[in-house]
Amino acid sequence: MHPSIHIQSFIAYLEAFNKVSDELKKEVLKNASHKVLNEGEIFINKGGYDKVMGFLSEGIMRIYDIDRQGQDWNKSLLNYQTILLGNVEPNQPSIHNIAAVSSCHIIVLPVSFLATALEQFNDLRIIQGRILSRIYQIKSQRESDLLLLTTKERYLKLKDDLGSDIGRIPQYHLASFLGVTPIQLSRIRNSLAS
C-alpha cells in the first residue's frame, strides 16, 4: 500500500471522532511521515522523552511493561487503527514501551506538531477529548474484565476482539496479556478444543 493511503487512513480515523477542517488536513499531510516497523522493533521506550507520536495504520502492536525480574507484561494488544503515544503529557517521559508484534505501518507525527495543532485547531481539541474518553472506556473495561471474568472468559473475549489476528500473535504475548503462563494458556486452549 502506498504511504499516502496510510496517511488518509489516519485522517479518516480522526474524522470518526469529529469533522476535520481542511486546514488541519493540510497540516497533517505536511507533517506526517510513514514508517514500517518489523516484528519486535520498539516504537517507544519507557522513560524516554518521545519526540514523535504514531498512528497504527496496519499490523499488530503491544503496549507493555517489564517487571523487576525482566519479565514482559502486555497491557494492550493492538490490531486496530489507534494512536501510539508514550504519555499524553508531551514533556513527560513515556510510561510504557510500545513495540511491533508483526510488521506494522505507522504514521509518524512530531509531538511538537501535536502541541501546536492543539492550540491552533479547535476540531483537534474535540477529537483529542473523544479519543481520551475512548481510551478510558477501554482501560476501564479491561480492569473490570480482570476482576470479574475467569481466565477462560478473558481468553474467549480476547479471541473475539482479535479475530483471525489471534493466530499471528505468539502464545507468550497472549498469555502475558491475560496474566497467565503460556502453559496455563495452552491448557485453556486444549479445554476449549475438546
Side-chain angles (χ1 to χ4, degrees):
M1 230 188 279
H2 193 273
S4 66
I5 299 294
H6 294 285
I7 294 173
Q8 290 303 324
S9 73
F10 174 56
I11 291 171
Y13 170 81
L14 296 176
E15 288 188 317
F17 292 96
N18 191 63
K19 183 170 177 9
V20 176
S21 66
D22 290 339
E23 295 80 17
L24 178 54
K25 286 179 190 176
K26 286 178 193 170
E27 288 300 311
V28 167
L29 290 169
K30 186 167 73 173
N31 288 279
S33 61
H34 173 256
K35 181 175 185 163
V36 176
L37 285 183
N38 295 314
E39 180 182 336
E41 278 189 84
I42 295 173
F43 180 65
I44 291 176
N45 278 305
K46 182 176 182 172
Y49 287 83
D50 305 315
K51 296 194 177 6
V52 296
M53 61 166 281
F55 171 74
L56 175 60
S57 176
E58 186 180 309
I60 304 169
M61 297 196 76
R62 67 187 182 117
I63 300 173
Y64 68 100
D65 289 315
I66 302 171
D67 67 18
R68 291 180 185 170
Q69 290 74 38
Q71 173 72 40
D72 289 8
W73 293 101
N74 291 320
K75 294 178 62 65
S76 295
L77 293 170
L78 310 168
N79 71 331
Y80 51 88
Q81 295 182 331
T82 190
I83 299 293
L84 304 168
L85 191 60
N87 194 324
V88 293
E89 295 294 329
N91 295 319
Q92 296 299 313
S94 175
I95 55 177
H96 305 293
N97 299 293
I98 304 176
V101 174
S102 69
S103 176
C104 295
H105 291 266
I106 298 172
I107 299 306
V108 179
L109 285 159
V111 171
S112 58
F113 163 77
L114 178 63
T116 303
L118 282 168
E119 288 180 13
Q120 188 176 355
F121 298 102
N122 186 53
D123 47 344
L124 187 58
R125 286 192 298 277
I126 292 168
I127 291 166
Q128 179 193 38
R130 291 178 179 165
I131 289 172
L132 290 174
S133 176
R134 179 71 183 126
I135 291 168
Y136 174 79
Q137 290 171 348
I138 292 168
K139 182 175 172 37
S140 293
Q141 185 61 56
R142 170 134 164 86
E143 289 171 357
S144 293
D145 290 350
L146 287 169
L147 292 171
L148 303 173
L149 300 180
T150 66
T151 306
K152 187 184 226 177
E153 290 168 331
R154 290 196 321 269
Y155 172 72
L156 290 169
K157 185 173 182 180
L158 179 64
K159 189 176 175 185
D160 188 50
D161 290 345
L162 294 174
S164 63
D165 281 339
I166 199 163
R168 297 174 54 203
I169 301 173
Q171 184 159 311
Y172 62 91
H173 283 317
L174 296 171
S176 168
F177 178 76
L178 293 168
V180 299
T181 66
I183 292 169
Q184 289 169 308
L185 178 56
S186 184
R187 287 184 187 136
I188 290 167
R189 285 177 150 177
N190 289 338
S191 75
L192 291 167
S194 53

